[in-house]
Amino acid sequence: MQSVFVENGGSTQRIYESLLVEPENLSIFSNGLAMKIIAELGKKPACAMDLAKKLQQHEQKIYYHLRKMKDAGIVRLERSEPR
């Protein structure tokens, strides 16, 4: 079953696909770097290497947070390609 969020704006409505996060996974968002990663991924899909460069962080830190978010169902692997 898909969850949606409906925003009423006067005579218009916007419908957003939403994600239900289990309470035990909410701690992922307590980290500032995780929030920055989510913000960047919200703009466009990116790999860990590109996120590390953009956020000026070590690539392994990015991988760590992405793995936690993937395990929680917050992000998903869209595609894989050699670099």
Side-chain angles (χ1 to χ4, degrees):
M1 182 165 95
Q2 183 179 4
S3 299
V4 294
F5 172 74
V6 179
E7 178 183 47
N8 291 314
S11 62
T12 62
Q13 283 188 335
R14 288 186 177 184
I15 300 175
Y16 302 94
E17 186 178 337
S18 66
L19 170 69
L20 297 176
V21 179
E22 297 295 326
E24 60 268 15
N25 294 326
L26 290 176
S27 64
I28 291 170
F29 298 113
S30 66
N31 183 286
L33 180 55
M35 293 301 294
K36 289 178 184 177
I37 292 169
I38 290 290
E40 288 301 316
L41 290 175
K43 296 174 188 173
K44 67 176 187 170
C47 68
M49 184 171 63
D50 293 341
L51 288 168
K53 287 178 184 176
K54 175 80 174 174
L55 300 173
Q56 298 178 349
Q57 294 289 326
H58 193 278
E59 196 172 335
Q60 288 302 316
K61 281 186 176 182
I62 304 297
Y63 274 116
Y64 170 80
H65 289 290
L66 286 174
R67 189 171 25 258
K68 285 179 69 173
M69 288 184 250
K70 182 177 177 274
D71 291 344
I74 297 167
V75 298
R76 70 179 188 282
L77 179 64
E78 192 171 284
R79 69 178 185 273
S80 180
E81 57 187 55
R83 296 210 48 177

